Amino acid sequence: MSRRILKYAILGLLSKEDMSGYDITSEFKKAIGQFWSAKHSQIYVELKKLLDEDSISQYIEMAGVKLEKKMYSLTTKGKEELQNWLLELDENVETEKDIFALRLYFLKDIPAEEIPALFNNQLKLRTEKLAFLKEQFSFYFGVEKNPLNLDAEELGHYFVLSKAISREENYICWLNKSLEIIKNKNADNSLR
Amino acid sequence: MSRRILKYAILGLLSKEDMSGYDITSEFKKAIGQFWSAKHSQIYVELKKLLDEDSISQYIEMAGVKLEKKMYSLTTKGKEELQNWLLELDENVETEKDIFALRLYFLKDIPAEEIPALFNNQLKLRTEKLAFLKEQFSFYFGVEKNPLNLDAEELGHYFVLSKAISREENYICWLNKSLEIIKNKNADNSLR
DNA sequence: TAGGCCATGTAAAAAGTTACATGATTAC
DNA sequence: GTAATCATGTAACTTTTTACATGGCCTA
């Protein structure tokens, strides 16, 4: 958890178009939510902070008769900060936390007959996520398959979706391979 | 983050053998650190809490003449808590945060000539990590390749290492594919 | 008119990082 | 003797989650 990643995630989203806190919250439920996310409570606080620091500016848009949407835009300062952050080189790979893998490390304390259920649950979750991602992908890039024909904005989206898909496919593949090993082991033991 | 994952990570490590806070800190620099980690400052605080809650017990081991190592063991309560946690089914896939992918989503704000450097840096980091993981793998499983011959404890380790390796290989593969796209795009543009 | 979504916030608590602090042991 | 590593802790701060809280809009 390092130096204000949420700040830059928000600046990045606002560099595409002006958004409200609610819009930003929604974005984290789509493609980019595969690699960073935050709850609305954190986002509203961060927006206030960014406003204070003059990285963003605010204006009101009416949504209906009474409902005020607070829209945010990047300021010059915000644009510069984003630019600089985008060019930073990471110095090390951060731990990508994964509770299932953590549990599996403690395999010896899981009764053998319970293990397949754990794998199957994970397989279900990951398969659902992959389906969601593929749906998104074909919605945005279904017709135009060749990434060379995409503009820079679409290409960012393309990379992130293709990355998420490849991550989930790889995860599912590893789950299947590992589950096979477990099944063979269980079969072995019942022969004895 | 969520429901005391560090607690269970520590209980899990202690179920293999008694350890000190320092030992636990070291473990997070090895295989399991690929999927969960914590700093010593957090670990010592959590150990005190677990001791208060009677999930673990403490004894002193002398390391040298003056140096006292505080060793921790699971209590019956701790063992039960670990058991129950290991059988819990995750209800959703948590965001696996990845700053590089986040940056890449904002690609349109990165000057085209800077992009390859960003990819190459990531490629370097991931390649180094993969080398480290493969070293670990061959150290522990080099001779005995067949996972069917491993006992439950080794198998947990095997799964976690094989998962980390497959994750990094997949990441590198995606980086290379994406970098190719970027190069082709840059070449295209300079032709115009 | 009711339920789901749009929309924005605050407060408290938990989790995690960074910095400060200290001292022993080991191997060269 | 000195540097790396072993060993343990606290304090301040940042980040993230959970819960509380409110009200408008839209569609069936």
Side-chain angles (χ1 to χ4, degrees), chain B residues 1-188:
Chain B
M1 231 65 60
S2 12
R3 303 139 10 260
R4 300 191 65 185
I5 308 298
L6 180 59
K7 162 180 172 172
Y8 296 102
I10 290 175
L11 295 183
L13 287 170
L14 291 179
S15 87
K16 301 194 184 230
E17 51 178 325
D18 294 358
M19 285 185 189
S20 65
Y22 188 88
D23 296 333
I24 292 169
T25 306
S26 309
E27 286 302 312
F28 282 128
K29 289 170 188 155
K30 300 186 207 163
I32 196 51
Q34 302 305 314
F35 299 108
W36 204 267
S37 69
K39 312 277 162 147
H40 77 274
S41 53
Q42 202 186 354
I43 291 165
Y44 287 114
V45 171
E46 187 66 32
L47 283 169
K48 192 162 280 180
K49 206 169 166 192
L50 292 173
L51 197 57
D52 269 1
E53 297 168 345
D54 293 314
S55 299
I56 59 177
S57 62
Q58 189 193 64
Y59 59 96
I60 304 296
E61 210 174 85
M62 296 309 294
V65 184
K66 280 188 178 174
L67 226 193
E68 299 189 340
K69 256 185 100 159
K70 295 187 179 173
M71 301 297 289
Y72 296 92
S73 327
L74 288 188
T75 59
T76 308
K77 186 186 172 199
K79 265 176 216 160
E80 278 168 20
E81 288 176 326
L82 176 61
Q83 289 286 325
N84 294 334
W85 181 76
L86 287 172
L87 297 182
E88 274 176 29
L89 297 180
D90 293 319
E91 271 160 33
N92 47 59
V93 172
E94 248 141 294
T95 300
E96 289 167 39
K97 296 188 166 184
D98 179 336
I99 297 173
F100 180 72
L102 176 66
R103 274 203 185 91
L104 207 55
Y105 187 60
F106 307 129
L107 188 73
K108 77 157 180 37
D109 292 298
I110 309 177
E113 68 275 17
E114 306 280 2
I115 298 174
L118 295 177
F119 272 91
N120 286 324
N121 181 60
Q122 199 61 212
L123 224 26
K124 180 178 144 271
L125 293 176
R126 296 287 168 169
T127 304
E128 280 165 11
K129 173 163 241 178
L130 180 59
F132 165 77
L133 292 168
K134 284 192 164 169
E135 222 169 82
Q136 293 267 308
F137 187 89
S138 70
F139 178 77
Y140 286 105
F141 309 109
V143 196
E144 187 58 77
K145 314 132 199 283
N146 189 348
L148 290 176
N149 297 327
L150 301 174
D151 66 33
E153 172 139 11
E154 294 169 316
L155 196 58
H157 193 178
Y158 174 90
F159 279 146
V160 167
L161 268 182
S162 78
K163 168 125 188 45
I165 287 171
S166 124
R167 174 163 80 183
E168 294 309 318
E169 282 176 344
N170 184 256
Y171 203 127
I172 289 169
C173 171
W174 172 84
L175 283 170
N176 281 320
K177 267 194 315 195
S178 301
L179 186 52
E180 271 316 297
I181 294 171
I182 288 292
K183 281 180 182 167
N184 286 332
K185 265 198 123 62
N186 283 358
D188 255 32

Side-chain angles (χ1 to χ4, degrees), chain A residues 1 20-22 40-41 44 48 69-70 97:
Chain A
M1 220 131 322
S20 65
Y22 189 88
H40 78 274
S41 53
Y44 288 115
K48 192 162 282 180
K69 258 185 98 159
K70 295 187 179 173
K97 296 188 167 183

Side-chain angles (χ1 to χ4, degrees), chain A residues 62-68:
Chain A
M62 297 310 294
V65 185
K66 282 189 178 174
L67 224 195
E68 299 189 340

Side-chain angles (χ1 to χ4, degrees), chain A residues 62-79:
Chain A
M62 297 310 294
V65 185
K66 282 189 178 174
L67 224 195
E68 299 189 340
K69 258 185 98 159
K70 295 187 179 173
M71 301 297 289
Y72 296 93
S73 326
L74 286 189
T75 60
T76 308
K77 185 186 172 199
K79 264 176 219 162

